[in-house]
Amino acid sequence: MPTRRYGRTTVTLPDLADDPYLGVISSPPRPGSTVTEFRYTDQDLRDLDLTEADLRNGILHNVTARRTTIENVRFSSVQITAGDLGSLQLTGTKASRTLIRDCRLMGAAITGTVLDSVLFENCRLDYATFDQVRASGPLVFDRCVLTEATFTGCDLTGVVMRDCTLRATAFETGSYKDLDLSGSDLSTVRGVGNLREAVISRTQQYQLTDALLAELNVTFSEDLPQHH
């Protein structure tokens, strides 16, 4: 399997695009099923429900759903590309060696999920909420948009957020040791005080200062009206 390096972090990913052994499936895996070496593509659904399934060595490409529920699913060596998964509720799921690229996951609610060697690449995650999400291995967000996303009770130890849009992104109570934020604009992030032991570049220290001042809602004395 190919690897990608992001600073000190290396992600192992599947390479399935030209795999001749992938069989085409025409409907989502049933609850409790194990599906291997599959290709599920070009679907426009009202509801996509994946429950208690084990998905291995497969591709989900160009799948659109207005409402998406993924609960207690295991992804292993899976590529999810060019998808638009509306109203995503992702709960109790484990993913390893998984690539999620060019996907719209706007407003996703991701809860109680464990991620190991997972790459989100060029994804829209605006207004997403990450609750009790744990990176048990390499986890990278590369060129993702996380406007007004919220992380609560997450363990993002060693995670990389490279060149991401973090406009008003909130880092609430959690573990952020060695969270690498290099290359992302931090001037509007919230919860600056929780980012202890995170990794930034020297030029970003001024962005964090701006974010902290905005959070403290301080007033500069020079801006106060002068009384004569």
Side-chain angles (χ1 to χ4, degrees), residues 48 63-65 68 70 80 83-88 104-106:
L48 173 61
V63 176
T64 297
T68 310
I70 300 175
I80 304 172
D84 187 350
L85 304 181
S87 301
L88 172 61
R104 288 173 56 88
L105 310 171
M106 309 274 282

Side-chain angles (χ1 to χ4, degrees), residues 17 21 35 46 63 78 90 97 104 109 129 131 133 195 199 201-202 214 222:
Y21 299 105
V35 182
R46 177 175 179 178
V63 176
V78 172
L90 192 154
R97 300 183 304 280
R104 288 173 56 88
T129 57
D131 186 9
V133 172
L195 292 175
V199 176
S201 64
R202 292 192 183 279
E222 294 84 353

Side-chain angles (χ1 to χ4, degrees), residues 20-209:
Y21 299 105
L22 300 185
V24 175
I25 60 175
S26 58
S27 59
R30 292 191 298 271
S33 63
T34 297
V35 182
T36 63
E37 297 184 331
F38 67 91
R39 191 186 300 268
Y40 184 57
T41 64
D42 303 323
Q43 300 291 323
D44 188 354
L45 309 171
R46 177 175 179 178
D47 299 313
L48 173 61
D49 292 303
L50 298 175
T51 306
E52 302 284 351
D54 190 351
L55 307 183
R56 306 176 190 172
N57 301 309
I59 293 174
L60 289 86
H61 174 73
N62 192 31
V63 176
T64 297
R66 289 152 189 77
R67 187 188 63 82
T68 310
T69 301
I70 300 175
E71 185 175 359
N72 298 328
V73 172
R74 174 66 184 266
F75 293 100
S76 180
S77 298
V78 172
Q79 295 180 191
I80 304 172
T81 55
D84 187 350
L85 304 181
S87 301
L88 172 61
Q89 300 285 327
L90 192 154
T91 308
T93 290
K94 295 182 179 180
S96 61
R97 300 183 304 280
T98 295
L99 169 64
I100 304 170
R101 183 176 61 208
D102 298 331
C103 288
R104 288 173 56 88
L105 310 171
M106 309 274 282
I110 302 174
T111 306
T113 291
V114 179
L115 305 174
D116 176 10
S117 216
V118 173
L119 170 62
F120 289 87
E121 184 178 54
N122 195 34
C123 291
R124 295 296 301 261
L125 288 150
D126 308 72
Y127 316 110
T129 57
F130 297 80
D131 186 9
Q132 305 295 322
V133 172
R134 180 168 65 90
S136 64
L139 170 60
V140 175
F141 295 84
D142 183 19
R143 291 168 292 134
C144 291
V145 180
L146 294 121
T147 299
E148 294 190 40
T150 301
F151 294 88
T152 305
C154 296
D155 184 350
L156 300 186
T157 301
V159 170
V160 175
M161 292 185 175
R162 188 181 79 161
D163 296 335
C164 290
T165 299
L166 302 176
R167 190 176 303 113
T169 302
F171 295 94
E172 299 184 353
T173 302
S175 176
Y176 303 105
K177 180 178 174 58
D178 294 329
L179 168 63
D180 191 341
L181 297 164
S182 302
S184 297
D185 186 346
L186 307 179
S187 58
T188 63
V189 299
R190 296 176 290 167
V192 175
N194 294 320
L195 292 175
R196 294 175 181 85
E197 301 185 85
V199 176
I200 65 171
S201 64
R202 292 192 183 279
T203 58
Q204 289 175 297
Q205 61 185 310
Y206 305 106
Q207 298 171 3
L208 277 187
T209 299

Side-chain angles (χ1 to χ4, degrees), residues 217-221 223-224:
N217 196 28
V218 300
T219 300
F220 294 104
S221 59
D223 297 333
L224 291 172

